[in-house]
Amino acid sequence: MVSVTFWGLVLLATVTGLATAWALGANSNSPPFAPAIGANAISTMRAAFLIGILAALGALAQGGSISETVGAGLINGVSITSLAATAGLLTATAFMAFGVYTGYPVPAAFATTGAMVGVGLSLGGTPAFETYRRIATFWVLVPPVSGGLAYLTATVLRRDDIPETVGVPLLAAVVGGIVANIRLSVIPDPDGGAQGSLAAFLGSIVETPALVGVELDVVLITLVAAAVSFRFIQRRTEESVDRGVRTFLVLLGSVVAFSSGGSQVGLATGPLENLYRAQLGLPGIALLAVGATGILGGAWMGAPRLLQATSREYAQLGVRRSIAALVPGFIIAQLAITLGIPISFNNIIISGVIGGGLAGGSAGVSRRKIGVTLLFWVLTLVASVAVGFGLYRLFALVLGGAV
């Protein structure tokens, strides 16, 4: 009987995790390609197809760190059971669904983090205050950092003394240099880690001395990647400014979609970490594959409708402001993945849109809307802790104990 109950809960938890990943794929991964659609650089259906593929690949290649934080780093002293994982995922998904259907800004990262803290406390665990401090610090810094980077980006693009044949390629160079250093599970790490970067891997082939603790070969390869990116987009913009900008929008959307998959999949797979890896003995890639499948399905089935709506919004923002919102999104998402911190991708984009708008003299967003957004972020975090705590207790009571 226990075996039947256990496997029933495994199935329920997995289906719930898939549903959460589907919701993330349909909603959180759509913004990256909206500017490109608004600029007529790519069709809606092709964008939805690419979002699904790229976000799923990002989930597989970069999703492990955030998944581990959500699954094991939020509570001390207990392991998340299948029943607790189900309660946490149902709580987070319910909050996300509420946000989608009501239009209120409910961030997925806040809902999932709060829900898992709630079920962990309900299991009898103790708060992981050091983890909370790191996450809270990162969350507090996201709006000013994203907005500030967007402001700087938009300012560069708006300067009359910096032609678009230079300004846009400069941003491409920054993105290209960062891409060369992002850590992926498919690249061997010369230091023996689970993930390696292209710059570090290629740099390990030719030994060079380190200067002040910095590997010169890594710096050289980063500069080469930046130079290649700069020249490629510069040639496109020299042929046609519109063509160059559209090409950059598609490429930027691609790397941002990849990053969103890596940063968001952990919100769906994290609660299942103990179940899959400790209880079932499966490798981490198997769990990430579950999340990637859900994200892929959500992007293909749910993203087109949202893309059409968000592309109109980005079209109203303009190309410069759209680029200014996405560049910080890419940088902050990769930083969060490196640190293993769950984030809400839409929050980064919203902050970037506001910062980019300030470069033009007006954020285009009312103070009331900003205040309401911040209020719902806080309410989501607090309420999800309470709901997660209560829902697990209810499930345990109905089933006669924790499973």
Side-chain angles (χ1 to χ4, degrees):
M1 182 64 181
V2 174
S3 177
V4 173
T5 303
F6 171 76
W7 286 109
L9 286 172
V10 169
L11 177 61
L12 178 60
T14 301
V15 171
T16 308
L18 275 170
T20 304
W22 191 98
L24 291 169
N27 296 287
S28 297
N29 294 315
S30 297
F33 272 96
I37 295 173
N40 295 317
I42 190 172
S43 67
T44 299
M45 295 308 297
R46 182 172 294 181
F49 177 79
L50 287 177
I51 287 172
I53 296 295
L54 293 168
L57 289 176
L60 290 171
Q62 289 196 292
S65 61
I66 293 178
S67 184
E68 290 177 4
T69 298
V70 174
L74 297 176
I75 288 291
N76 295 325
V78 295
S79 297
I80 302 299
T81 64
S82 55
L83 183 61
T86 302
L89 287 167
L90 285 175
T91 299
T93 304
F95 272 87
M96 285 186 276
F98 173 80
V100 170
Y101 285 105
T102 62
Y104 288 110
V106 175
F110 286 31
T112 304
T113 300
M116 294 312 298
V117 170
V119 298
L121 293 174
S122 190
L123 277 168
T126 58
F129 288 113
E130 179 59 26
T131 301
Y132 302 161
R133 183 190 63 78
R134 290 193 307 110
I135 293 175
T137 301
F138 195 92
W139 284 354
V140 169
L141 290 176
V142 162
V145 171
S146 179
L149 289 174
Y151 179 87
L152 292 175
T153 302
T155 300
V156 170
L157 292 175
R158 292 176 64 88
R159 289 180 64 93
D160 294 332
D161 57 341
I162 302 180
E164 289 182 311
T165 52
V166 175
V168 175
L170 277 175
L171 293 176
V174 172
V175 173
I178 294 174
V179 167
N181 286 277
I182 63 176
R183 305 184 73 82
L184 307 171
S185 60
V186 295
I187 298 179
D189 182 11
D191 298 325
Q195 296 179 329
S197 69
L198 182 63
F201 175 71
L202 294 178
S204 66
I205 297 176
V206 179
E207 294 294 334
T208 58
L211 181 63
V212 196
V214 178
E215 297 290 340
L216 295 182
D217 47 12
V218 174
V219 174
L220 177 61
I221 293 170
T222 300
L223 292 176
V224 169
V228 170
S229 302
F230 178 91
R231 185 54 186 156
F232 175 72
I233 295 300
Q234 186 182 50
R235 290 184 62 181
R236 304 283 285 188
T237 53
E238 287 174 344
E239 296 171 1
S240 168
V241 171
D242 288 341
R243 184 180 180 185
V245 169
R246 290 178 180 180
T247 300
F248 180 58
L249 279 173
V250 172
L251 293 177
L252 180 60
S254 297
V255 296
V256 175
F258 182 90
S259 302
S260 71
S263 65
Q264 297 298 289
V265 70
L267 302 178
T269 60
L272 304 174
E273 278 281 333
N274 180 66
L275 172 63
Y276 268 69
R277 304 186 69 170
Q279 294 182 268
L280 298 180
L282 296 174
I285 191 66
L287 178 57
L288 292 177
V290 173
T293 300
I295 284 179
L296 179 67
W300 284 357
M301 298 170 65
R305 177 182 57 82
L306 189 61
L307 278 170
Q308 290 178 345
T310 53
S311 64
R312 289 193 293 269
E313 295 176 2
Y314 276 97
Q316 294 174 356
L317 292 176
V319 172
R320 293 181 180 86
R321 191 170 170 186
S322 299
I323 291 175
L326 291 182
V327 170
F330 168 62
I331 296 173
I332 294 174
Q334 285 299 325
L335 181 59
I337 291 170
T338 301
L339 297 175
I341 294 178
I343 58 169
S344 177
F345 203 80
N346 287 333
N347 290 353
I348 301 175
I349 298 299
I350 290 172
S351 303
V353 168
I354 294 173
L358 287 172
S362 172
V365 180
S366 68
R367 291 183 179 180
R368 180 182 180 279
K369 187 172 184 179
I370 295 175
V372 170
T373 298
L374 293 174
L375 176 62
F376 266 89
W377 289 355
V378 175
L379 288 177
T380 296
L381 184 61
V382 174
S384 60
V385 173
V387 173
F389 185 97
L391 186 59
Y392 172 74
R393 284 293 175 89
L394 177 62
F395 282 0
L397 178 63
V398 171
L399 294 177
V403 181

